[in-house]
Amino acid sequence: MLNFLGKRAVASGISFVGLVLLVFFLSRLTGDPTSLYLPLDASDEIKNQFREIHGLNDPLVVQFFNYMGDLIRFDFGDSIRRSEPAIDIVLRGFGWTLQLAAITLSLVIFFSIVLGSLAAFHVGGAFDRIATFFSLVGASAPDFWVAIVAIVVFSVTLGWVPTSGTGSFAHWILPVAVLFIRPFGLIVQIVRGSMITALSSAYVKTARAKGIKNRSIIFVHALRNALLPVITVIGDQAAALLNGAVVIETIFGFPGVGKLMIDSILQRDFAVVMAAIVVTALAIFLMNLVIDILYSILDPRIRY
Amino acid sequence: MFRKSRLFMATAIASTVAFSAHAQDNSVTIVLSEELEFVEPCMATKSNVGRVLFQNISETVTEMDPETGLQPRLAQSWEDMGDGTWRFHLREGVNFSDGTAMDADDIAHSLVRVKSPDIACEIGAKVFGGIEITSNIIDAHTIDITADPAQPILPLLMSLVTVTPQDAPLDSFVDHPIGTGPYTFDEYERGQFITLSANPNYWGDQPTVQSATYVFRADSAVRAAMVAAGEADIAPSIALQDATDPAMDFSYPNSETMFLSIGHAQAPLNDRRVREALNLAIDREAFIGTVLANGTLLATAITPPSTVGYNANLKPYAFDPDRARELLEEARADGVPVDAEITLLGRSNNFGNVLETMEAMLAMYQDVGFNMKLEMVEVAEWLERYAKPLPEDRGPTLIQALHDNANGDPVFSMYFKYHSNGQTSGLAYPEVDAMIEEATITTGDERTAKWSELFAFLHDEIIADVMLFHMVGFSRVNERLDFIPTIRTNSELQLSQIQFK
């Protein structure tokens, strides 16, 4: 296992350097941020001073090596837009994103596994049909539309929950609920398909012949074997959530890293773009490692 | 299970009630469309910064009122001393919110600070670009300010200079602004909210609104919903399609003018007949009440009707596609390359329905025979193609732009847009340069006449641009407030002007 972890760390490190290189030069290809931050009629002297302050007058290669030198010391530079350390801004946003992703994903995993398993156990039955219908609707519903409708119905008309923002338990309800729908719809379908295969296996028939209760057959015997493809899809969904739920963050005013990243790209705030990508890449690297370890726990035949 | 769900709902409702409770009493919540990058007073001419800081935290020496003209604020009076020098007599007994007294040293320091190259303030570049400013302190409450070249409207320019204490740094922005205004800056929780509260030591009358919270929501529908749900009191800017409640929604001229900037250097746009055809091909009336709001006005100049010298005698170009086709044929017969491809460049998300507006104009141009393509680009790319230095390889281009001038005088617009050295000028006409320079240094009725003459020359003689619309903005205001948005709401929101019903 340690050998595997070492190899993964080296492979991820190489990918990480490649990613930093790519994002650094691609982001600079978008152009000079000076015109975005100064008035149109700013003098050439002021523009030059601005470029000097932000190190934009150096050749691109020099800027890159300066950046990498600073990065080794965990100095991500300052945001042009907010005049504060980029890493502080990103970690603040990432904290919100992490909470939103963790809560949503926990609910998705729980409900989709339970409902997907039960639907698979009653294939073709009323429960299966209802679960399939709602999961397909959920997987295909555009979240910006669901979010606005949810605000109009539950906040403006019924007044049950706040429209947006943060500050109390109630503020989490709508964002989590809207964010929940799509991955839930997708994973229910994956669980159902995988469980149908598992439940038709010889070992399940044997378990039934031995008189084991249905609950144990589903959740102890079949589920463990059905979970491998489910974990793969959950990993994909988690990666998407860690990158930030841009639509949800925008509509509900959640100060997460997704909207921050998009705004920073549009505003050519390179230090924040780089810091956001580095932090997100590290988080996804760690998550993939956890998923690999989970594979070997769920299926002892997998050895690293 | 049932009890658990009831408990869950009760908790949610309790939290909601707790949340909306702060939108009560004498406090207000204002929902803005974007977060503030800076809380720096010298950046207060940026609309998102200005709506929080301008005249709430940081005051100016003079104040421009769209109804009554230039008014005293921190200065009680001013006089022209000649040779570009103006003397300002400051109000006595004014303190900053940290308790220190405001005097002439603070005014002098503020002028140095807005021009400091180490912080590149928006106000310094916008108001005093190309102008040298020096101060001479006569006594604690009298200061002479000299502009070189002389600025007859220096008192008007001072209505944009926010005053900061003399210990405000010259090389960095502040993150906790101190001002003389009716409010103090309490807290900025990045990404979430800003809070202000009434300044108990304010020199003027105590405002009715005792505290304010600013929150940020990018989506217009959500901003409108927040006011409808009672979570916010004012959404200064919402989209046309969200302004659906006559009891809460106000439209107002937002001081922005939409036009297509013509680069006169490239053929076929260097031909006057082609520029006239560009104006005649657009059915301006068709946009109003459809993709643009009712109340939108047809424009003949880059500044709104409330500015000095606005020429009410000018008539917008009528929609005449047949005449546009004739003009193009005449130009073609004279060897003008009217079939050259023209780029119609739009700025994405510049205003609601910008894409629909641009697509409709493209269709109108193609209908009269222009070979035109539409490009919609983000703000960064748009700026590179709109402001000098322009790309060397640019072809003939019409650039859609919104120009904002709520300051009452064309000087804030005309050099910048039409002088051959102007940063976004597509023109190089010595007579236009001379007219701008003359109008800039005159005063009174003569100034009004000269600006008016220039507007006519640009619109009728050289056909500088395709002037389109004076735009309308929408605000949603909670019915508990006595507050009507004005042309200034686009750039500032004075809390002290808000009353409760």
Side-chain angles (χ1 to χ4, degrees):
Chain A
M1 179 64 89
L2 281 178
N3 189 30
F4 165 74
L5 291 178
K7 283 181 182 170
R8 281 300 296 263
V10 171
S12 298
I14 294 168
S15 306
F16 178 76
V17 172
L19 180 74
V20 170
L21 193 77
L22 195 69
V23 174
F24 183 91
F25 286 103
L26 279 180
S27 61
R28 263 64 179 182
L29 280 180
T30 60
D32 182 355
T34 310
S35 57
L36 275 172
Y37 290 92
L38 295 180
L40 285 172
D41 43 359
S43 66
D44 289 344
E45 182 200 353
I46 289 178
K47 286 180 181 172
N48 197 49
Q49 184 85 16
F50 179 90
R51 290 193 192 99
E52 198 63 42
I53 290 169
H54 297 287
L56 300 167
N57 276 337
D58 296 327
L60 209 50
V61 175
V62 174
Q63 287 183 42
F64 178 71
F65 283 109
N66 287 342
Y67 182 79
M68 290 306 283
D70 291 340
L71 195 59
I72 289 166
R73 298 194 303 275
F74 295 102
D75 178 359
F76 289 79
D78 285 352
S79 161
I80 302 178
R81 192 161 162 245
R82 298 187 180 178
S83 291
E84 63 173 306
I87 192 66
D88 291 355
I89 298 170
V90 169
L91 289 179
R92 206 161 49 220
F94 196 70
W96 286 102
T97 296
L98 207 57
Q99 289 179 67
L100 194 61
I103 293 170
T104 307
L105 212 57
S106 303
L107 294 171
V108 165
I109 291 169
F110 176 76
F111 284 106
S112 57
I113 286 178
V114 170
L115 294 184
S117 301
L118 293 176
F121 195 71
H122 302 285
V123 177
F127 184 85
D128 180 33
R129 286 169 193 272
I130 292 169
T132 301
F133 173 77
F134 281 107
S135 62
L136 286 175
V137 169
S140 51
D143 42 13
F144 69 90
W145 179 82
V146 175
I148 295 293
V149 169
I151 287 172
V152 170
V153 173
F154 296 107
S155 302
V156 177
T157 307
L158 298 173
W160 287 355
V161 284
T163 57
S164 55
T166 57
S168 72
F169 169 76
H171 286 94
W172 289 84
I173 295 173
L174 280 188
V176 168
V178 175
L179 200 54
F180 170 90
I181 292 172
R182 189 177 292 198
F184 168 75
L186 180 68
I187 295 172
V188 162
Q189 287 298 308
I190 303 291
V191 171
R192 178 182 174 275
S194 191
M195 280 294 281
I196 287 172
T197 307
L199 287 169
S200 60
S201 303
Y203 65 86
V204 170
K205 289 173 185 164
T206 305
R208 279 192 174 128
K210 287 164 72 177
I212 294 173
K213 288 179 179 174
N214 284 341
R215 186 189 298 176
S216 295
I217 289 173
I218 298 170
F219 294 111
V220 177
H221 295 273
L223 183 60
R224 181 168 175 173
N225 290 296
L227 274 183
L228 285 184
V230 175
I231 285 177
T232 305
V233 176
I234 289 173
D236 284 346
Q237 295 297 310
L241 289 175
L242 286 176
N243 271 312
V246 178
V247 172
I248 299 302
E249 289 173 10
T250 301
I251 291 179
F252 291 107
F254 240 74
V257 79
K259 185 168 184 304
L260 174 71
M261 214 183 302
I262 298 294
D263 288 347
S264 302
I265 291 167
L266 292 176
Q267 296 287 327
R268 296 181 181 169
D269 198 350
F270 301 138
V272 178
V273 174
M274 295 298 295
I277 283 174
V278 166
V279 168
T280 309
L282 283 175
I284 290 175
F285 161 66
L286 287 174
M287 194 192 65
N288 284 334
L289 209 59
V290 170
I291 288 172
D292 284 337
I293 294 168
L294 274 178
Y295 281 149
S296 69
I297 292 170
L298 288 169
D299 187 347
R301 290 171 299 180
I302 298 174
R303 287 279 175 265
Y304 298 115
Chain B
M1 183 70 186
F2 181 66
R3 285 177 58 190
K4 280 184 182 173
S5 66
R6 285 183 62 178
L7 180 64
F8 176 82
M9 191 57 71
T11 310
I13 291 169
S15 300
T16 309
V17 170
F19 172 79
S20 55
H22 71 94
Q24 303 296 319
D25 306 328
N26 53 11
S27 67
V28 294
T29 298
I30 294 163
V31 54
L32 302 176
S33 60
E34 58 181 330
E35 196 182 348
L36 279 66
E37 308 96 320
F38 315 107
V39 285
E40 166 56 59
C42 79
M43 299 297 279
T45 44
K46 286 173 77 86
S47 61
N48 60 339
V49 181
R51 279 175 173 153
V52 179
L53 301 188
F54 203 73
Q55 311 294 17
N56 291 327
I57 302 295
S58 298
E59 293 182 293
T60 51
V61 174
T62 60
E63 180 179 8
M64 180 64 191
D65 184 309
E67 303 283 318
T68 55
L70 199 60
Q71 301 293 318
R73 188 90 187 199
L74 291 177
Q76 287 181 305
S77 62
W78 49 91
E79 55 196 305
D80 187 356
M81 306 299 286
D83 294 332
T85 298
W86 287 78
R87 177 165 292 177
F88 293 87
H89 301 278
L90 303 178
R91 198 177 290 279
E92 295 187 25
V94 176
N95 290 322
F96 287 100
S97 56
D98 63 357
T100 56
M102 190 280 299
D103 60 25
D105 280 324
D106 299 304
I107 308 294
H109 177 78
S110 300
L111 286 167
V112 172
R113 191 166 185 268
V114 296
K115 293 215 65 175
S116 168
D118 292 337
I119 48 177
C121 284
E122 167 104 357
I123 289 175
K126 195 168 185 173
V127 180
F128 296 126
I131 303 172
E132 285 297 318
I133 293 288
T134 50
S135 311
N136 181 27
I137 295 168
I138 307 300
D139 61 41
H141 295 99
T142 311
I143 182 169
D144 284 354
I145 301 173
T146 304
D148 181 20
Q151 297 297 311
I153 57 161
L154 188 63
L156 177 62
L157 299 181
M158 293 302 290
S159 70
L160 294 171
V161 179
T162 45
V163 175
T164 47
Q166 53 193 292
D167 59 358
L170 292 174
D171 58 355
S172 63
F173 284 167
V174 297
D175 55 13
H176 194 98
I178 302 288
T180 58
Y183 294 89
T184 58
F185 189 90
D186 293 345
E187 186 184 6
Y188 187 2
E189 183 68 38
R190 288 272 180 190
Q192 297 188 65
F193 60 84
I194 290 174
T195 54
L196 312 185
S197 60
N199 176 2
N201 301 316
Y202 184 54
W203 58 267
D205 295 336
Q206 272 296 305
T208 305
V209 171
Q210 286 292 295
S211 64
T213 303
Y214 296 85
V215 295
F216 319 105
R217 301 289 181 270
D219 193 278
S220 165
V222 176
R223 295 196 296 277
M226 286 184 73
V227 179
E231 291 174 18
D233 294 295
I234 301 176
S237 173
I238 60 171
L240 165 65
Q241 59 268 29
D242 298 317
T244 53
D245 188 338
M248 290 192 286
D249 298 333
F250 294 85
S251 68
Y252 59 96
N254 66 3
S255 75
E256 289 187 330
T257 302
M258 181 190 170
F259 65 101
L260 301 179
S261 175
I262 301 176
H264 288 222
Q266 272 90 23
L269 304 178
N270 56 357
D271 188 278
R272 186 186 181 281
R273 289 165 297 189
V274 173
R275 297 198 297 274
E276 187 175 353
L278 286 168
N279 273 280
L280 294 170
I282 298 291
D283 184 359
R284 292 166 175 79
E285 301 276 4
F287 289 86
I288 300 173
T290 52
V291 290
L292 299 177
N294 279 318
T296 300
L297 301 174
L298 301 188
T300 57
I302 198 172
T303 57
S306 55
T307 43
V308 169
Y310 183 83
N311 193 329
N313 296 323
L314 299 177
K315 298 283 176 265
Y317 284 92
F319 176 50
D320 190 347
D322 292 336
R323 178 63 186 146
R325 288 186 195 100
E326 284 173 21
L327 285 165
L328 284 183
E329 285 310 313
E330 285 173 25
R332 190 196 312 275
D334 288 344
V336 177
V338 294
D339 293 327
E341 187 178 65
I342 298 170
T343 302
L344 180 60
L345 186 72
R347 179 172 155 182
S348 298
N349 303 314
N350 196 203
F351 59 89
N353 297 335
V354 62
L355 181 59
E356 291 80 355
T357 303
M358 297 304 290
E359 285 176 341
M361 284 197 287
L362 177 70
M364 290 173 188
Y365 281 135
Q366 288 174 335
D367 183 52
V368 300
F370 279 105
N371 176 14
M372 197 174 283
K373 64 169 181 180
L374 174 64
E375 275 187 54
M376 297 298 294
V377 296
E378 293 298 331
V379 58
E381 186 180 346
W382 179 87
L383 282 167
E384 280 163 5
R385 295 168 73 175
Y386 179 57
K388 293 174 182 174
L390 296 168
E392 297 259 328
D393 57 349
R394 70 191 189 283
T397 311
L398 285 178
I399 304 178
Q400 169 267 324
L402 280 181
H403 181 76
D404 184 3
N405 184 336
N407 300 309
D409 195 286
V411 76
F412 295 105
S413 307
M414 303 311 278
Y415 184 91
F416 170 72
K417 177 65 188 77
Y418 292 118
H419 193 282
S420 51
N421 294 329
Q423 197 63 31
T424 62
S425 173
L427 277 59
Y429 296 87
E431 57 269 54
V432 173
D433 293 354
M435 291 168 87
I436 292 171
E437 287 160 15
E438 280 174 33
T440 300
I441 57 169
T442 52
T443 54
D445 292 344
E446 191 185 356
R447 184 181 185 86
T448 303
K450 286 200 177 293
W451 285 129
S452 188
E453 191 184 326
L454 176 60
F455 285 133
F457 188 74
L458 291 170
H459 187 261
D460 292 344
E461 296 298 321
I462 62 169
I463 312 180
D465 289 318
V466 181
M467 280 300 148
L468 294 168
F469 308 106
H470 296 302
M471 305 293 273
V472 166
F474 292 91
S475 293
R476 177 165 285 191
V477 180
N478 193 306
E479 291 178 83
R480 77 189 184 105
L481 299 189
D482 182 8
F483 173 73
I484 297 175
T486 69
I487 194 167
R488 302 293 290 183
T489 308
N490 206 38
S491 52
E492 67 180 59
L493 187 56
Q494 294 197 35
L495 296 170
S496 58
Q497 294 174 351
I498 299 172
Q499 303 293 325
F500 297 98
K501 286 180 179 170

